[in-house]
Amino acid sequence: MSALAQISNQIEGATITGSDVEESFYTDSVLKRANIPVLGFSSANVENVDLVVASAAYTNQHPEIARALDLNIPVLSYPQYLGRLLAQKRSICVTGTHGKTTTTAMMGLVLLQAGLDPTIVVGSDVPSIGGNAHSGKGEFFLAESCEYRRHFLNYSPEHLIITNIEFDHPDYFKDLDDVISAFSELALKVPAHGRIYVWDEDPNRKSIQSDAPITTFGLSESADIRATEIIFKDEKSSMKILFKGQYVGDLDLHVAGKHNIVNALATIALCHQLGIPMNDILSSLGQFNGTKRRFEHIGCNTNGALIVDDYAHHPTEIRTTLEGARLSFPDRRIRAIFQPHTFSRTEKLLLEFSQAFQSADEVVIADIFASARELEHHTVSAPNLAEMILQQGIQARYIGTLDDIKLYLNQTLAPEDLVLTLGAGDIYKVGLEIVS
């Protein structure tokens, strides 16, 4: 919502005010720099406005939404309004079950450094683009696009990047086929003069059909854009880039893991298609330094233990993040501190979660971070998951509260430890409080 607020003035010439709960967020400083006032919730806030844009977190019973409806003021949801803004520029949508934030951030950096001055909306704080949004004057609009509740069907992208397709959001999607149908429907909205970019190794990519041409990226020989001769060292990787089998340059990437190489390849595929010189693309990617809550270095404990935080909350994300940590830090003891996110996801993917920690030396499971939208009863519990991980032959324990986890870590941290907090809830607070 804060990202939309920042770009609305540039695109629509709108005067923006906002309202929110009275709690501090990192976006507060961003909105202050943009001269956008944020008020406490009150029905009086909407008395003299032309349009209300409301987070999907709130229903029509919210006092501001209810008052707007009483006054016949139009109320749009976040995806509805983003779709309206996207339609006013050449739209580039980045979607997929995993990797969309980092891929959007990489693309935003390359487009900015190429002088295209795009409008950007991304789901994290990205230092290289100055926050979670950029209000550009150029013709392109780059937006991270979420599949939840088919929100992305509000958009009609000219360019569509699909990082991968897996089963997630089980509180909404029935199964993998339901997820695939949503992505397939979005692909059909891409015009014939546009283009779709898909991960070549994705087993579900064959379901994507469109009048638009399709470019593939990945590590396999069949990918249009691929990386070869990859060398990992510390949190960096170097590789040669091939386009349709022909060598086009070297890439030095300063973010960890194979998954980030794939994110970079998606970026190369799009930006090459837009006409940015390959040398410029590779140079810009070499300057990319990550996003908030994606393998973010929090700091070190007093005895030298390294504390890192990551938003990973799906089994595939956890596995790839831990594999990247193992590649980057082969000599450290990796201690994964995982807070499951939502009962529905934990229940539906319980077996996959239990098998996702093979690259960790120790796993600590916190209580499940429940979603406000989960009303039904669920039988799964955090101790269930800890026990199943133990059965995989990995040292695992359940420690429910964040305070108890902090106490345990402070009593057991060693200089060679890498503590990796994982989850989409508030598990990051553990890392912030144990650094020196």
Side-chain angles (χ1 to χ4, degrees):
M1 295 296 291
S2 64
L4 287 189
Q6 292 169 72
I7 65 174
S8 295
N9 178 268
Q10 175 69 34
I11 296 179
E12 296 204 314
T15 300
I16 306 297
T17 60
S19 52
D20 206 341
V21 295
E22 294 183 6
E23 182 180 341
S24 295
F25 299 98
Y26 86 89
T27 52
D28 292 349
S29 59
V30 171
L31 293 168
K32 187 175 182 179
R33 286 199 305 270
N35 295 314
I36 298 172
V38 181
L39 313 171
F41 284 136
S42 169
S43 59
N45 293 341
V46 302
E47 292 289 334
N48 295 300
V49 304
D50 299 298
L51 174 68
V52 172
V53 182
S55 163
Y58 300 109
T59 68
N60 289 354
Q61 278 66 56
H62 186 281
E64 294 189 18
I65 299 174
R67 181 58 176 157
L69 293 174
D70 286 344
L71 296 172
N72 292 317
I73 296 169
V75 178
L76 297 181
S77 67
Y78 171 94
Q80 288 172 333
Y81 188 55
L82 178 55
R84 167 168 145 172
L85 297 182
L86 281 165
Q88 299 181 53
K89 288 178 177 275
R90 297 181 64 185
S91 56
I92 303 167
C93 290
V94 181
T95 190
T97 311
H98 325 292
K100 34 183 189 292
T101 296
T102 300
T103 304
T104 306
M106 286 179 171
M107 291 177 177
L109 175 62
V110 177
L111 294 176
L112 283 168
Q113 293 202 343
L116 297 180
D117 195 23
T119 297
I120 304 169
V121 167
V122 61
S124 182
D125 184 9
V126 184
S128 57
I129 68 170
N132 63 345
H134 176 75
S135 183
K137 297 180 180 179
E139 62 180 335
F140 290 106
F141 189 153
L142 170 67
E144 179 176 344
S145 306
C146 185
E147 76 275 19
Y148 182 61
R149 292 190 179 275
R150 289 175 161 79
H151 284 163
F152 57 16
L153 295 184
N154 286 279
Y155 320 144
S156 297
E158 178 182 341
H159 293 270
L160 173 64
I161 298 88
I162 302 176
T163 57
N164 42 61
I165 304 172
E166 279 198 89
F167 180 50
D168 195 10
H169 301 297
D171 60 319
Y172 174 75
F173 290 111
K174 297 192 293 288
D175 50 28
L176 177 59
D177 287 340
D178 194 19
V179 176
I180 291 172
S181 73
F183 282 92
S184 298
E185 190 173 347
L186 178 62
L188 290 173
K189 299 185 73 175
V190 179
H193 68 269
R195 187 170 289 266
I196 299 174
Y197 311 79
V198 298
W199 178 39
D200 195 55
E201 290 97 300
D202 191 336
N204 300 309
R205 76 171 182 83
K206 295 292 176 65
S207 63
I208 300 301
Q209 305 292 327
S210 174
D211 291 335
I214 295 176
T215 295
T216 60
F217 57 88
L219 303 181
S220 56
E221 290 189 11
S222 56
D224 295 322
I225 296 282
R226 62 182 290 245
T228 187
E229 299 184 37
I230 301 170
I231 299 172
F232 294 96
K233 185 177 181 182
D234 299 326
E235 290 181 78
K236 302 175 183 178
S237 57
S238 61
M239 66 213 75
K240 296 188 180 302
I241 303 299
L242 305 182
F243 174 60
K244 296 190 181 298
Q246 299 297 311
Y247 166 78
V248 291
D250 294 332
L251 173 61
D252 294 312
L253 204 57
H254 293 201
V255 283
K258 288 183 180 177
H259 58 296
N260 278 320
I261 294 175
V262 175
N263 295 337
L265 293 171
T267 300
I268 294 168
L270 170 84
C271 295
H272 176 70
Q273 179 63 34
L274 297 185
I276 301 173
M278 187 63 71
N279 285 343
D280 294 348
I281 298 171
L282 301 179
S283 175
S284 294
L285 283 172
Q287 299 170 49
F288 181 73
N289 57 3
T291 77
K292 194 172 182 64
R293 299 219 63 207
R294 271 60 174 190
F295 214 79
E296 179 187 7
H297 283 231
I298 304 302
C300 289
N301 182 263
T302 51
N303 65 0
L306 177 61
I307 316 301
V308 176
D309 176 61
D310 198 278
Y311 191 71
H313 57 283
H314 182 280
T316 298
E317 295 168 349
I318 293 167
R319 186 177 65 254
T320 55
T321 299
L322 287 170
E323 287 172 353
R326 180 62 69 194
L327 278 169
S328 299
F329 300 96
D331 299 325
R332 284 191 178 263
R333 177 172 67 155
I334 297 177
R335 307 179 71 181
I337 317 300
F338 176 52
Q339 181 187 55
H341 188 255
T342 75
F343 283 92
S344 56
R345 180 183 285 113
T346 308
E347 187 172 72
K348 290 281 189 180
L349 301 174
L350 185 61
L351 178 61
E352 291 87 345
F353 275 118
S354 73
Q355 298 170 339
F357 293 89
Q358 296 297 328
S359 294
D361 296 298
E362 180 192 14
V363 181
V364 174
I365 300 297
D367 285 327
I368 296 170
F369 189 92
S371 166
R373 61 181 179 253
E374 293 185 304
L375 302 177
E376 67 269 35
H377 176 70
H378 292 278
T379 58
V380 72
S381 71
N384 294 157
L385 177 56
E387 179 61 32
M388 290 181 68
I389 296 170
L390 264 174
Q391 292 170 8
Q392 298 287 328
I394 300 165
Q395 183 182 344
R397 67 183 69 217
Y398 161 72
I399 305 177
T401 70
L402 302 192
D403 285 340
D404 286 344
I405 292 172
K406 285 179 280 188
L407 180 63
Y408 170 69
L409 289 173
N410 282 326
Q411 292 172 343
T412 60
L413 278 174
E416 71 275 8
D417 286 348
L418 166 61
V419 175
L420 181 53
T421 55
L422 298 159
D426 59 357
I427 192 66
Y428 65 90
K429 294 177 181 177
V430 170
L432 292 175
E433 294 189 26
I434 62 175
V435 297
S436 55

